[in-house]
Amino acid sequence: MSTKVQQPIQSLAVVGAGQMGIGIAYVAAANSKVPVNVIDNSDKSLEKGIGFVDKLLSKNVSKGKIQEAEAKEIKGRITPYKDLAEGVKNVDMVIEAVPEIPDLKTKIFAQLAEVTQPHTVLGTNTSSIGITKIAAAAKGAESRVIGAHFMNPVPVQKGVEIIQGLQTSPETLARTLEFTERMGKLTSTSQDSPGFLANRVLMPYINEAIIAVETGVGQKEDIDNIMKNGCAMPMGPLQLADFIGLDTCLAIMNVLYHDTSDSKYRPSILLAKMVDAGWLGVKTGKGFYDYEQPGAKL
């Protein structure tokens, strides 16, 4: 049942045209049927993002999921922008989806507080950085800041975490829940605690699997196979780590470790070494498995 709100979100801006940002933009345009401004200071990123939308729409048309006319309507709702202030000035909600760099996010939110309308919800897709900390940078707009952590890949995964900072108002929470439900997502709400819900559970699981490799408890294939074939996981933890990106896994484990000061969240030494080596998983062609050759073993 959808949440009822007095001022529903009718327009969206997404900051960041990477995989997550463009996925959020696509789902909002396709499911919520709202206009979406996609903002990125890189022409290359914008072109790549719009190209992804084109491919996804073509694929859905060829499979008969949508008609050509509907594909054109969805594409027509997405508008690229390079200027942040111009892209966000008249929207009901902004979702920031830039890399997990705290200084970058706080800089963006400081600007969003100055250039958005007083009613605009300011969402962040962060997977680990504290919402309260991000909201503190949005001077005068702290109550409008909320976490909206979409699961990857956004067009496929139904789940989204909605995270309240200390400053987040009940109205901001209600409007965000209502909008993400209209996007076709299944929401889970979380307090602003390190790792939120998904990564608080998932990343220690992945980290422990890496420690099992590091300490010789088992081979990577055996670890992944027993979790898939014995625990009904769709993907083994080491293969999943490669898909997420080992650098991302390490960054989240470091947040958990430093923010809680709990030794159970200490990142695996092997994980840190692999990141140092540039073996980051699928995106670099090598992680726990090799992805450089077509049909590489998973």
Side-chain angles (χ1 to χ4, degrees):
M1 183 180 294
S2 295
T3 307
K4 300 296 183 182
V5 295
Q6 292 184 339
Q7 193 174 15
I9 305 298
Q10 299 295 346
S11 55
L12 177 69
V14 178
V15 182
Q19 183 180 12
M20 293 299 294
I22 204 66
I24 293 167
Y26 171 82
V27 172
N31 295 349
S32 304
K33 296 180 171 57
V34 300
V36 184
N37 297 339
V38 179
I39 305 154
D40 201 297
N41 59 13
S42 166
D43 286 323
K44 183 178 180 181
S45 293
L46 286 171
E47 290 172 7
K48 184 177 180 181
I50 298 301
F52 172 81
V53 170
D54 289 335
K55 289 179 181 178
L56 196 54
L57 289 171
S58 295
K59 182 178 179 182
N60 287 338
V61 169
S62 67
K63 289 187 173 182
K65 293 182 178 180
I66 59 175
Q67 298 298 314
E68 186 68 42
E70 186 179 355
K72 290 181 179 178
E73 289 177 2
I74 294 170
K75 174 71 179 296
R77 296 187 191 113
I78 300 174
T79 306
Y81 281 83
K82 286 190 69 177
D83 184 76
L84 177 68
E86 187 67 22
V88 304
K89 67 180 182 180
N90 291 318
V91 299
D92 293 332
M93 184 174 189
V94 179
I95 299 178
E96 164 273 313
V98 303
E100 290 287 277
I101 303 171
D103 289 346
L104 176 59
K105 290 184 184 287
T106 53
K107 180 180 178 181
I108 288 171
F109 275 81
Q111 187 174 357
L112 290 176
E114 295 179 354
V115 299
T116 54
Q117 299 293 322
H119 71 278
T120 304
V121 172
L122 306 179
T124 172
N125 186 55
T126 182
S127 59
S128 59
I129 300 170
I131 306 305
T132 299
K133 182 183 295 184
I134 293 174
K139 302 297 183 185
E142 295 93 340
S143 67
R144 296 191 275 127
V145 177
I146 193 166
H149 177 215
F150 292 78
M151 299 297 107
N152 187 29
V154 182
V156 176
Q157 299 287 7
K158 289 287 188 181
V160 57
E161 294 179 308
I162 306 300
I163 308 107
Q164 306 168 72
L166 287 178
Q167 311 96 318
T168 305
S169 71
E171 180 186 8
T172 297
L173 173 62
R175 293 177 72 201
T176 303
L177 286 170
E178 191 273 339
F179 181 61
T180 48
E181 287 167 4
R182 266 195 287 136
M183 290 176 72
K185 297 301 181 181
L186 301 176
T187 60
S188 296
T189 57
S190 172
Q191 294 301 311
D192 186 19
S193 183
F196 314 136
L197 296 176
N199 285 325
R200 187 67 169 261
V201 176
L202 176 64
M203 286 303 161
Y205 158 70
I206 288 175
N207 192 57
E208 193 62 32
I210 298 171
I211 291 173
V213 174
E214 177 186 319
T215 56
V217 176
Q219 298 296 313
K220 60 188 179 185
E221 294 88 356
D222 292 319
I223 294 168
D224 277 351
N225 285 337
I226 196 61
M227 297 312 296
K228 288 189 291 185
N229 302 324
C231 299
M233 299 295 185
M235 185 181 295
L238 302 172
Q239 183 185 355
L240 180 57
D242 279 352
F243 176 78
I244 293 169
L246 301 190
D247 53 339
T248 300
C249 294
L250 178 60
I252 295 171
M253 286 306 302
N254 277 326
V255 168
L256 289 172
Y257 183 42
H258 291 126
D259 287 3
T260 64
S261 298
D262 191 329
S263 61
K264 73 181 180 181
Y265 296 119
R266 178 186 63 80
S268 160
I269 294 171
L270 176 59
L271 174 60
K273 284 183 176 180
M274 292 180 72
V275 172
D276 285 343
W279 298 350
L280 308 183
V282 175
K283 60 188 173 184
T284 60
K286 184 175 179 61
F288 285 97
Y289 300 93
D290 293 332
Y291 302 91
E292 295 170 326
Q293 301 298 324
K297 182 181 178 183
L298 299 181

